[in-house]
Amino acid sequence: MRIAFIGYGNMAQALSKRWASDHEVFIGGRNIDKARELAQSIQASGSGTISEAVAFGELIVMATPANAVEDAIESGGGSDSFTGKIVLDINNPVSVPGGPHANEGADYLPIEFEEGSLAERIAALIPSASVVKAFNMCQASVWEMDPPIFDGRKLATLFCGDDTDAKGKVASLIESIGSDPVDIGELVYSRLLEASACIVIKLLFSGRDLHTVLNLVQPEIKPIH
Ligand SMILES: NC(=O)c1ccc[n+]([C@@H]2O[C@H](COP(=O)([O-])OP(=O)(O)OC[C@H]3O[C@@H](n4cnc5c(N)ncnc54)[C@H](OP(=O)(O)O)[C@@H]3O)[C@@H](O)[C@H]2O)c1
């Protein structure tokens, strides 16, 4: 598959590295020197501007800060440039202390969108593309794990979207990094993924060991007769 990244930060570095050997990967960004640097380090197929990335990708990973997504769509050539593409939304629109949406006294809340979630906002901005939300629930270092195994158990990666074919392609990317894809439904469920990530981020920022909170060992399940 031709996979293009918009952005060359933490998440782009983690995910692009995992896919570069089996896919054609292109790194795009505002600073083409930084895009080239990442592309060379992972032996990607190419690098360049954001609009070149959009033109290249069958699947485009939105790897900018959540508040830069709309800007990135514009830089990519606007809504029509995304026609027929899969757009992978990995973003967490969350208010963090000191961040662009800091919310004194009540941080770590999802940023509100008229459409319901950022993923649905993206789908409204580029209706000719298929938006899938995934990879937002773990920090970049987890996506670098090869494979992401905890206590002998595979990491489950939750994803959602409205287009079955697009979700199938994202599921195969999840499997390719050694994780179990878990389809939680239509794109409307991105509201839950974005809200859940707020809890994860709040706990991470407080120094809590998430392993003990979210990755619970499954108790023995007794059959009901
Ligand atoms: N880091 C994590 O552990 C993690 C985990 C899960 C989800 N996420 C989500 O993934 C997204 C990316 O996070 P990250 O940690 O990779 O961020 P990051 O390291 O800060 O990288 C952000 C990238 O976006 C680019 N960018 C910023 N503003 C832009 C704009 N207006 N137009 C185009 N490009 C722009 C930056 O490059 P320039 O400024 O040079 O253009 C940079 O390449 C965020 O929404 C985050 O919530 C992050």
PDB file of all heavy atoms in Angstrom, residues 6-12 30-31 34 50 63-66 68 71-72 90-92 135-136 138-140 143, ligand 1:
ATOM      1  N   ILE A   6       1.480  12.877   7.130  1.00  0.00           N
ATOM      2  CA  ILE A   6       1.577  14.329   7.235  1.00  0.00           C
ATOM      3  C   ILE A   6       2.124  14.586   8.631  1.00  0.00           C
ATOM      4  O   ILE A   6       1.447  14.347   9.636  1.00  0.00           O
ATOM      5  CB  ILE A   6       0.214  15.026   7.041  1.00  0.00           C
ATOM      6  CG1 ILE A   6      -0.360  14.685   5.675  1.00  0.00           C
ATOM      7  CG2 ILE A   6       0.380  16.542   7.200  1.00  0.00           C
ATOM      8  CD1 ILE A   6      -1.692  15.364   5.361  1.00  0.00           C
ATOM      9  N   GLY A   7       3.379  14.997   8.685  1.00  0.00           N
ATOM     10  CA  GLY A   7       4.069  15.174   9.966  1.00  0.00           C
ATOM     11  C   GLY A   7       5.198  14.168  10.100  1.00  0.00           C
ATOM     12  O   GLY A   7       5.169  13.085   9.488  1.00  0.00           O
ATOM     13  N   TYR A   8       6.213  14.566  10.881  1.00  0.00           N
ATOM     14  CA  TYR A   8       7.403  13.721  11.082  1.00  0.00           C
ATOM     15  C   TYR A   8       7.778  13.693  12.568  1.00  0.00           C
ATOM     16  O   TYR A   8       8.935  13.539  12.925  1.00  0.00           O
ATOM     17  CB  TYR A   8       8.592  14.244  10.250  1.00  0.00           C
ATOM     18  CG  TYR A   8       8.551  15.751  10.060  1.00  0.00           C
ATOM     19  CD1 TYR A   8       8.816  16.607  11.135  1.00  0.00           C
ATOM     20  CD2 TYR A   8       8.186  16.310   8.849  1.00  0.00           C
ATOM     21  CE1 TYR A   8       8.720  17.975  10.996  1.00  0.00           C
ATOM     22  CE2 TYR A   8       8.092  17.692   8.694  1.00  0.00           C
ATOM     23  CZ  TYR A   8       8.360  18.515   9.779  1.00  0.00           C
ATOM     24  OH  TYR A   8       8.251  19.870   9.636  1.00  0.00           O
ATOM     25  N   GLY A   9       6.753  13.860  13.419  1.00  0.00           N
ATOM     26  CA  GLY A   9       6.993  13.892  14.874  1.00  0.00           C
ATOM     27  C   GLY A   9       6.997  12.488  15.471  1.00  0.00           C
ATOM     28  O   GLY A   9       7.243  11.489  14.785  1.00  0.00           O
ATOM     29  N   ASN A  10       6.688  12.427  16.776  1.00  0.00           N
ATOM     30  CA  ASN A  10       6.775  11.157  17.526  1.00  0.00           C
ATOM     31  C   ASN A  10       5.979  10.020  16.889  1.00  0.00           C
ATOM     32  O   ASN A  10       6.478   8.909  16.717  1.00  0.00           O
ATOM     33  CB  ASN A  10       6.247  11.368  18.958  1.00  0.00           C
ATOM     34  CG  ASN A  10       7.072  12.382  19.708  1.00  0.00           C
ATOM     35  OD1 ASN A  10       8.281  12.276  19.778  1.00  0.00           O
ATOM     36  ND2 ASN A  10       6.408  13.381  20.271  1.00  0.00           N
ATOM     37  N   MET A  11       4.718  10.285  16.582  1.00  0.00           N
ATOM     38  CA  MET A  11       3.864   9.213  16.061  1.00  0.00           C
ATOM     39  C   MET A  11       4.253   8.824  14.644  1.00  0.00           C
ATOM     40  O   MET A  11       4.261   7.637  14.289  1.00  0.00           O
ATOM     41  CB  MET A  11       2.392   9.635  16.123  1.00  0.00           C
ATOM     42  CG  MET A  11       1.814   9.600  17.508  1.00  0.00           C
ATOM     43  SD  MET A  11       1.719   7.920  18.196  1.00  0.00           S
ATOM     44  CE  MET A  11       0.196   7.328  17.468  1.00  0.00           C
ATOM     45  N   ALA A  12       4.593   9.811  13.824  1.00  0.00           N
ATOM     46  CA  ALA A  12       5.024   9.495  12.452  1.00  0.00           C
ATOM     47  C   ALA A  12       6.297   8.655  12.494  1.00  0.00           C
ATOM     48  O   ALA A  12       6.437   7.680  11.747  1.00  0.00           O
ATOM     49  CB  ALA A  12       5.241  10.791  11.665  1.00  0.00           C
ATOM     50  N   ARG A  30       5.671  20.366   6.649  1.00  0.00           N
ATOM     51  CA  ARG A  30       5.920  21.781   6.336  1.00  0.00           C
ATOM     52  C   ARG A  30       7.391  22.019   6.098  1.00  0.00           C
ATOM     53  O   ARG A  30       7.766  22.885   5.316  1.00  0.00           O
ATOM     54  CB  ARG A  30       5.443  22.663   7.509  1.00  0.00           C
ATOM     55  CG  ARG A  30       3.956  22.637   7.721  1.00  0.00           C
ATOM     56  CD  ARG A  30       3.508  23.709   8.664  1.00  0.00           C
ATOM     57  NE  ARG A  30       3.958  23.507  10.048  1.00  0.00           N
ATOM     58  CZ  ARG A  30       3.513  24.196  11.084  1.00  0.00           C
ATOM     59  NH1 ARG A  30       2.611  25.141  10.892  1.00  0.00           N
ATOM     60  NH2 ARG A  30       3.959  23.961  12.304  1.00  0.00           N
ATOM     61  N   ASN A  31       8.255  21.274   6.802  1.00  0.00           N
ATOM     62  CA  ASN A  31       9.701  21.437   6.656  1.00  0.00           C
ATOM     63  C   ASN A  31      10.219  20.215   5.880  1.00  0.00           C
ATOM     64  O   ASN A  31      10.322  19.107   6.431  1.00  0.00           O
ATOM     65  CB  ASN A  31      10.333  21.527   8.049  1.00  0.00           C
ATOM     66  CG  ASN A  31      11.830  21.718   7.989  1.00  0.00           C
ATOM     67  OD1 ASN A  31      12.503  21.200   7.105  1.00  0.00           O
ATOM     68  ND2 ASN A  31      12.355  22.464   8.946  1.00  0.00           N
ATOM     69  N   LYS A  34      13.231  18.218   7.319  1.00  0.00           N
ATOM     70  CA  LYS A  34      12.915  17.286   8.414  1.00  0.00           C
ATOM     71  C   LYS A  34      12.190  16.055   7.866  1.00  0.00           C
ATOM     72  O   LYS A  34      12.395  14.936   8.348  1.00  0.00           O
ATOM     73  CB  LYS A  34      12.064  17.974   9.476  1.00  0.00           C
ATOM     74  CG  LYS A  34      12.847  18.970  10.317  1.00  0.00           C
ATOM     75  CD  LYS A  34      11.972  19.446  11.466  1.00  0.00           C
ATOM     76  CE  LYS A  34      12.671  20.516  12.278  1.00  0.00           C
ATOM     77  NZ  LYS A  34      11.775  21.174  13.222  1.00  0.00           N
ATOM     78  N   ILE A  50       3.388  18.640   1.990  1.00  0.00           N
ATOM     79  CA  ILE A  50       2.138  18.010   2.423  1.00  0.00           C
ATOM     80  C   ILE A  50       1.261  17.682   1.210  1.00  0.00           C
ATOM     81  O   ILE A  50       0.666  16.606   1.131  1.00  0.00           O
ATOM     82  CB  ILE A  50       1.404  18.923   3.428  1.00  0.00           C
ATOM     83  CG1 ILE A  50       2.256  19.049   4.699  1.00  0.00           C
ATOM     84  CG2 ILE A  50       0.010  18.399   3.755  1.00  0.00           C
ATOM     85  CD1 ILE A  50       1.758  20.059   5.715  1.00  0.00           C
ATOM     86  N   ALA A  63      -0.681  12.957  11.169  1.00  0.00           N
ATOM     87  CA  ALA A  63       0.209  12.860  12.339  1.00  0.00           C
ATOM     88  C   ALA A  63       0.679  14.235  12.799  1.00  0.00           C
ATOM     89  O   ALA A  63       1.831  14.431  13.187  1.00  0.00           O
ATOM     90  CB  ALA A  63       1.392  11.952  12.014  1.00  0.00           C
ATOM     91  N   THR A  64      -0.244  15.189  12.767  1.00  0.00           N
ATOM     92  CA  THR A  64       0.019  16.543  13.281  1.00  0.00           C
ATOM     93  C   THR A  64      -0.663  16.657  14.646  1.00  0.00           C
ATOM     94  O   THR A  64      -1.458  15.791  15.005  1.00  0.00           O
ATOM     95  CB  THR A  64      -0.610  17.600  12.351  1.00  0.00           C
ATOM     96  OG1 THR A  64      -2.030  17.476  12.430  1.00  0.00           O
ATOM     97  CG2 THR A  64      -0.166  17.425  10.913  1.00  0.00           C
ATOM     98  N   PRO A  65      -0.407  17.724  15.385  1.00  0.00           N
ATOM     99  CA  PRO A  65      -1.252  17.951  16.570  1.00  0.00           C
ATOM    100  C   PRO A  65      -2.718  18.085  16.139  1.00  0.00           C
ATOM    101  O   PRO A  65      -3.010  18.506  15.011  1.00  0.00           O
ATOM    102  CB  PRO A  65      -0.722  19.278  17.129  1.00  0.00           C
ATOM    103  CG  PRO A  65       0.659  19.412  16.571  1.00  0.00           C
ATOM    104  CD  PRO A  65       0.626  18.746  15.228  1.00  0.00           C
ATOM    105  N   ALA A  66      -3.620  17.709  17.039  1.00  0.00           N
ATOM    106  CA  ALA A  66      -5.044  17.714  16.687  1.00  0.00           C
ATOM    107  C   ALA A  66      -5.507  19.080  16.186  1.00  0.00           C
ATOM    108  O   ALA A  66      -6.298  19.172  15.246  1.00  0.00           O
ATOM    109  CB  ALA A  66      -5.863  17.283  17.906  1.00  0.00           C
ATOM    110  N   ALA A  68      -3.984  21.109  14.444  1.00  0.00           N
ATOM    111  CA  ALA A  68      -3.383  21.484  13.155  1.00  0.00           C
ATOM    112  C   ALA A  68      -3.979  20.699  11.986  1.00  0.00           C
ATOM    113  O   ALA A  68      -3.596  20.896  10.839  1.00  0.00           O
ATOM    114  CB  ALA A  68      -1.866  21.247  13.207  1.00  0.00           C
ATOM    115  N   ASP A  71      -5.597  22.780   9.189  1.00  0.00           N
ATOM    116  CA  ASP A  71      -4.532  23.474   8.470  1.00  0.00           C
ATOM    117  C   ASP A  71      -3.839  22.497   7.499  1.00  0.00           C
ATOM    118  O   ASP A  71      -3.565  22.818   6.339  1.00  0.00           O
ATOM    119  CB  ASP A  71      -3.537  23.980   9.532  1.00  0.00           C
ATOM    120  CG  ASP A  71      -2.573  24.995   8.990  1.00  0.00           C
ATOM    121  OD1 ASP A  71      -2.872  25.591   7.943  1.00  0.00           O
ATOM    122  OD2 ASP A  71      -1.509  25.182   9.616  1.00  0.00           O
ATOM    123  N   ALA A  72      -3.587  21.270   7.998  1.00  0.00           N
ATOM    124  CA  ALA A  72      -2.901  20.262   7.172  1.00  0.00           C
ATOM    125  C   ALA A  72      -3.754  19.868   5.967  1.00  0.00           C
ATOM    126  O   ALA A  72      -3.221  19.638   4.872  1.00  0.00           O
ATOM    127  CB  ALA A  72      -2.572  19.038   8.026  1.00  0.00           C
ATOM    128  N   ILE A  90      -5.135   9.555  13.937  1.00  0.00           N
ATOM    129  CA  ILE A  90      -4.499   9.002  15.144  1.00  0.00           C
ATOM    130  C   ILE A  90      -4.515  10.020  16.287  1.00  0.00           C
ATOM    131  O   ILE A  90      -3.895   9.810  17.314  1.00  0.00           O
ATOM    132  CB  ILE A  90      -3.028   8.635  14.846  1.00  0.00           C
ATOM    133  CG1 ILE A  90      -2.230   9.893  14.449  1.00  0.00           C
ATOM    134  CG2 ILE A  90      -2.933   7.584  13.763  1.00  0.00           C
ATOM    135  CD1 ILE A  90      -0.725   9.701  14.423  1.00  0.00           C
ATOM    136  N   ASN A  91      -5.227  11.128  16.055  1.00  0.00           N
ATOM    137  CA  ASN A  91      -5.063  12.299  16.929  1.00  0.00           C
ATOM    138  C   ASN A  91      -5.872  12.238  18.217  1.00  0.00           C
ATOM    139  O   ASN A  91      -6.943  11.649  18.271  1.00  0.00           O
ATOM    140  CB  ASN A  91      -5.493  13.552  16.162  1.00  0.00           C
ATOM    141  CG  ASN A  91      -4.602  13.780  14.974  1.00  0.00           C
ATOM    142  OD1 ASN A  91      -3.504  14.275  15.100  1.00  0.00           O
ATOM    143  ND2 ASN A  91      -5.079  13.375  13.795  1.00  0.00           N
ATOM    144  N   ASN A  92      -5.352  12.936  19.200  1.00  0.00           N
ATOM    145  CA  ASN A  92      -6.051  13.065  20.476  1.00  0.00           C
ATOM    146  C   ASN A  92      -6.352  14.533  20.770  1.00  0.00           C
ATOM    147  O   ASN A  92      -5.484  15.261  21.242  1.00  0.00           O
ATOM    148  CB  ASN A  92      -5.218  12.446  21.603  1.00  0.00           C
ATOM    149  CG  ASN A  92      -5.347  10.942  21.600  1.00  0.00           C
ATOM    150  OD1 ASN A  92      -6.419  10.408  21.333  1.00  0.00           O
ATOM    151  ND2 ASN A  92      -4.259  10.247  21.860  1.00  0.00           N
ATOM    152  N   PHE A 135      -4.980   3.865  16.658  1.00  0.00           N
ATOM    153  CA  PHE A 135      -3.629   4.149  17.168  1.00  0.00           C
ATOM    154  C   PHE A 135      -3.564   5.322  18.144  1.00  0.00           C
ATOM    155  O   PHE A 135      -2.478   5.770  18.481  1.00  0.00           O
ATOM    156  CB  PHE A 135      -2.636   4.417  16.007  1.00  0.00           C
ATOM    157  CG  PHE A 135      -2.451   3.256  15.089  1.00  0.00           C
ATOM    158  CD1 PHE A 135      -3.074   3.221  13.844  1.00  0.00           C
ATOM    159  CD2 PHE A 135      -1.664   2.178  15.460  1.00  0.00           C
ATOM    160  CE1 PHE A 135      -2.912   2.142  12.989  1.00  0.00           C
ATOM    161  CE2 PHE A 135      -1.494   1.081  14.613  1.00  0.00           C
ATOM    162  CZ  PHE A 135      -2.118   1.074  13.369  1.00  0.00           C
ATOM    163  N   ASN A 136      -4.726   5.840  18.585  1.00  0.00           N
ATOM    164  CA  ASN A 136      -4.673   7.018  19.465  1.00  0.00           C
ATOM    165  C   ASN A 136      -4.545   6.634  20.938  1.00  0.00           C
ATOM    166  O   ASN A 136      -4.259   7.486  21.770  1.00  0.00           O
ATOM    167  CB  ASN A 136      -5.929   7.892  19.277  1.00  0.00           C
ATOM    168  CG  ASN A 136      -7.169   7.227  19.834  1.00  0.00           C
ATOM    169  OD1 ASN A 136      -7.427   6.061  19.560  1.00  0.00           O
ATOM    170  ND2 ASN A 136      -7.940   7.956  20.619  1.00  0.00           N
ATOM    171  N   CYS A 138      -2.467   4.564  22.598  1.00  0.00           N
ATOM    172  CA  CYS A 138      -1.172   4.264  23.240  1.00  0.00           C
ATOM    173  C   CYS A 138      -0.144   5.302  22.836  1.00  0.00           C
ATOM    174  O   CYS A 138      -0.222   5.873  21.751  1.00  0.00           O
ATOM    175  CB  CYS A 138      -0.647   2.899  22.811  1.00  0.00           C
ATOM    176  SG  CYS A 138      -1.672   1.546  23.338  1.00  0.00           S
ATOM    177  N   GLN A 139       0.841   5.476  23.711  1.00  0.00           N
ATOM    178  CA  GLN A 139       1.873   6.450  23.400  1.00  0.00           C
ATOM    179  C   GLN A 139       2.816   5.902  22.319  1.00  0.00           C
ATOM    180  O   GLN A 139       2.893   4.694  22.095  1.00  0.00           O
ATOM    181  CB  GLN A 139       2.645   6.869  24.651  1.00  0.00           C
ATOM    182  CG  GLN A 139       3.557   5.812  25.208  1.00  0.00           C
ATOM    183  CD  GLN A 139       3.189   5.463  26.636  1.00  0.00           C
ATOM    184  OE1 GLN A 139       2.075   5.043  26.905  1.00  0.00           O
ATOM    185  NE2 GLN A 139       4.114   5.610  27.542  1.00  0.00           N
ATOM    186  N   ALA A 140       3.539   6.826  21.682  1.00  0.00           N
ATOM    187  CA  ALA A 140       4.375   6.470  20.526  1.00  0.00           C
ATOM    188  C   ALA A 140       5.331   5.319  20.840  1.00  0.00           C
ATOM    189  O   ALA A 140       5.553   4.443  20.001  1.00  0.00           O
ATOM    190  CB  ALA A 140       5.152   7.702  20.063  1.00  0.00           C
ATOM    191  N   TRP A 143       3.961   1.929  20.076  1.00  0.00           N
ATOM    192  CA  TRP A 143       3.891   1.569  18.645  1.00  0.00           C
ATOM    193  C   TRP A 143       5.257   1.203  18.095  1.00  0.00           C
ATOM    194  O   TRP A 143       5.357   0.603  17.032  1.00  0.00           O
ATOM    195  CB  TRP A 143       3.253   2.701  17.836  1.00  0.00           C
ATOM    196  CG  TRP A 143       1.892   3.070  18.352  1.00  0.00           C
ATOM    197  CD1 TRP A 143       1.494   4.286  18.826  1.00  0.00           C
ATOM    198  CD2 TRP A 143       0.754   2.209  18.499  1.00  0.00           C
ATOM    199  NE1 TRP A 143       0.192   4.235  19.249  1.00  0.00           N
ATOM    200  CE2 TRP A 143      -0.292   2.971  19.060  1.00  0.00           C
ATOM    201  CE3 TRP A 143       0.519   0.858  18.214  1.00  0.00           C
ATOM    202  CZ2 TRP A 143      -1.546   2.433  19.342  1.00  0.00           C
ATOM    203  CZ3 TRP A 143      -0.736   0.320  18.497  1.00  0.00           C
ATOM    204  CH2 TRP A 143      -1.743   1.107  19.042  1.00  0.00           C
TER     205      TRP A 143
HETATM  206  N1  LIG B   1       3.011  11.205  21.011  1.00  0.00           N
HETATM  207  C1  LIG B   1       2.207  10.235  21.403  1.00  0.00           C
HETATM  208  O1  LIG B   1       2.606   9.376  22.240  1.00  0.00           O
HETATM  209  C2  LIG B   1       0.828  10.109  20.804  1.00  0.00           C
HETATM  210  C3  LIG B   1       0.097   8.937  21.038  1.00  0.00           C
HETATM  211  C4  LIG B   1      -1.167   8.797  20.463  1.00  0.00           C
HETATM  212  C5  LIG B   1      -1.696   9.824  19.675  1.00  0.00           C
HETATM  213  N2  LIG B   1      -0.967  10.961  19.502  1.00  0.00           N
HETATM  214  C6  LIG B   1      -1.545  12.017  18.667  1.00  0.00           C
HETATM  215  O2  LIG B   1      -0.847  11.998  17.433  1.00  0.00           O
HETATM  216  C7  LIG B   1      -0.753  13.329  16.913  1.00  0.00           C
HETATM  217  C8  LIG B   1       0.715  13.629  16.651  1.00  0.00           C
HETATM  218  O3  LIG B   1       1.425  13.551  17.888  1.00  0.00           O
HETATM  219  P1  LIG B   1       3.012  13.605  17.926  1.00  0.00           P
HETATM  220  O4  LIG B   1       3.407  13.293  19.331  1.00  0.00           O
HETATM  221  O5  LIG B   1       3.590  12.821  16.801  1.00  0.00           O
HETATM  222  O6  LIG B   1       3.246  15.155  17.663  1.00  0.00           O
HETATM  223  P2  LIG B   1       4.629  15.909  17.404  1.00  0.00           P
HETATM  224  O7  LIG B   1       5.779  15.044  17.768  1.00  0.00           O
HETATM  225  O8  LIG B   1       4.495  17.233  18.034  1.00  0.00           O
HETATM  226  O9  LIG B   1       4.634  16.079  15.816  1.00  0.00           O
HETATM  227  C9  LIG B   1       3.667  16.863  15.175  1.00  0.00           C
HETATM  228  C10 LIG B   1       4.015  17.002  13.702  1.00  0.00           C
HETATM  229  O10 LIG B   1       3.050  17.839  13.096  1.00  0.00           O
HETATM  230  C11 LIG B   1       3.703  18.880  12.354  1.00  0.00           C
HETATM  231  N3  LIG B   1       2.832  20.050  12.336  1.00  0.00           N
HETATM  232  C12 LIG B   1       2.541  20.886  13.362  1.00  0.00           C
HETATM  233  N4  LIG B   1       1.673  21.822  12.972  1.00  0.00           N
HETATM  234  C13 LIG B   1       1.411  21.576  11.669  1.00  0.00           C
HETATM  235  C14 LIG B   1       0.568  22.215  10.708  1.00  0.00           C
HETATM  236  N5  LIG B   1      -0.159  23.293  11.003  1.00  0.00           N
HETATM  237  N6  LIG B   1       0.553  21.705   9.447  1.00  0.00           N
HETATM  238  C15 LIG B   1       1.298  20.622   9.129  1.00  0.00           C
HETATM  239  N7  LIG B   1       2.104  19.978   9.998  1.00  0.00           N
HETATM  240  C16 LIG B   1       2.147  20.455  11.264  1.00  0.00           C
HETATM  241  C17 LIG B   1       5.025  19.090  13.084  1.00  0.00           C
HETATM  242  O11 LIG B   1       6.036  19.594  12.240  1.00  0.00           O
HETATM  243  P3  LIG B   1       6.299  21.160  11.967  1.00  0.00           P
HETATM  244  O12 LIG B   1       5.875  21.906  13.201  1.00  0.00           O
HETATM  245  O13 LIG B   1       7.754  21.236  11.667  1.00  0.00           O
HETATM  246  O14 LIG B   1       5.438  21.458  10.791  1.00  0.00           O
HETATM  247  C18 LIG B   1       5.374  17.637  13.442  1.00  0.00           C
HETATM  248  O15 LIG B   1       5.969  16.999  12.358  1.00  0.00           O
HETATM  249  C19 LIG B   1      -1.370  14.249  17.972  1.00  0.00           C
HETATM  250  O16 LIG B   1      -2.676  14.564  17.632  1.00  0.00           O
HETATM  251  C20 LIG B   1      -1.364  13.404  19.240  1.00  0.00           C
HETATM  252  O17 LIG B   1      -2.433  13.717  20.086  1.00  0.00           O
HETATM  253  C21 LIG B   1       0.284  11.131  20.040  1.00  0.00           C
END
